């Protein structure tokens, strides 16, 4: 029976609190009315101009981000003294390095065949 009285007791408390915190109605004078339709076209026109019509494509976005970030042209090129091909300065010639690796591979194959043959 006490549980049945509890919701009605709550309603009585809320009713007294609501009446204590109500605000009086404020009368707005007629001269204070803002002419909203005259303000909206200027605001909406500036907002609508700032919105893109289409999503930028991946390639357009990458072109914009990478503009001015191209790789510099190589200025430090020399001729290889061994084979005469063009190479970067202070580095090994790629062609000569590949030929040396090929010789090493042949030597390893020859050594491994000698070991297997014995």
């Amino acid at each position: 029976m006490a549980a049945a009285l509890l919701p009605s007791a709550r309603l009585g408390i809320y009713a007294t609190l609501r009446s204590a915190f109500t605000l009086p109605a404020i009368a707005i004078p007629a001269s204070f009315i803002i002419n909203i339709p005259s303000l909206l076209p200027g605001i909406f026109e500036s907002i609508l101009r700032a919105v893109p019509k289409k999503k930028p494509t991946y390639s357009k976005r990458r072109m914009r981000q990478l503009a001015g970030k191209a790789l510099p042209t190589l200025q430090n090129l020399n001729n290889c003294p061994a084979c005469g091909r063009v190479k970067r300065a202070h580095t090994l010639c790629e062609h000569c390095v590949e030929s040396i690796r090929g010789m090493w591979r042949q030597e390893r194959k020859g050594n491994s065949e000698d070991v297997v043959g014995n």
Side-chain angles (χ1 to χ4, degrees), residues 4 9 20 25 35 39 42-43 46 52 63-64 72-73 78 88-89 95 105 112-115:
N35 191 1
L39 294 176
I43 294 172
S46 64
M63 281 191 281
R64 186 186 70 242
T73 56
N78 295 337
R88 292 186 70 175
H95 178 71
R105 286 186 198 120
S112 64
E113 290 174 1
D114 292 341
V115 173

Side-chain angles (χ1 to χ4, degrees), residues 31-85:
S31 62
F32 191 68
I33 295 175
I34 300 173
N35 191 1
I36 293 176
S38 67
L39 294 176
L40 290 179
I43 294 172
F44 283 126
E45 188 174 330
S46 64
I47 292 172
L48 291 177
R49 285 185 183 170
V51 178
K53 289 187 177 182
K54 293 182 180 178
K55 180 180 178 180
T57 62
Y58 178 78
S59 62
K60 294 283 187 184
R61 188 173 66 233
R62 293 293 296 165
M63 281 191 281
R64 186 186 70 242
Q65 290 172 351
L66 296 176
K69 298 179 184 175
L71 294 175
T73 56
L74 296 176
Q75 301 292 329
N76 54 350
L77 297 176
N78 295 337
N79 291 331
C80 176
C83 65
R85 294 183 184 218

Side-chain angles (χ1 to χ4, degrees), residues 10-36:
R10 284 187 189 163
L11 288 176
I13 293 171
Y14 288 130
T16 56
L17 288 176
R18 191 173 3 135
S19 64
F21 289 112
T22 55
L23 297 174
I26 299 173
I28 300 173
S31 62
F32 191 68
I33 295 175
I34 300 173
N35 191 1
I36 293 176

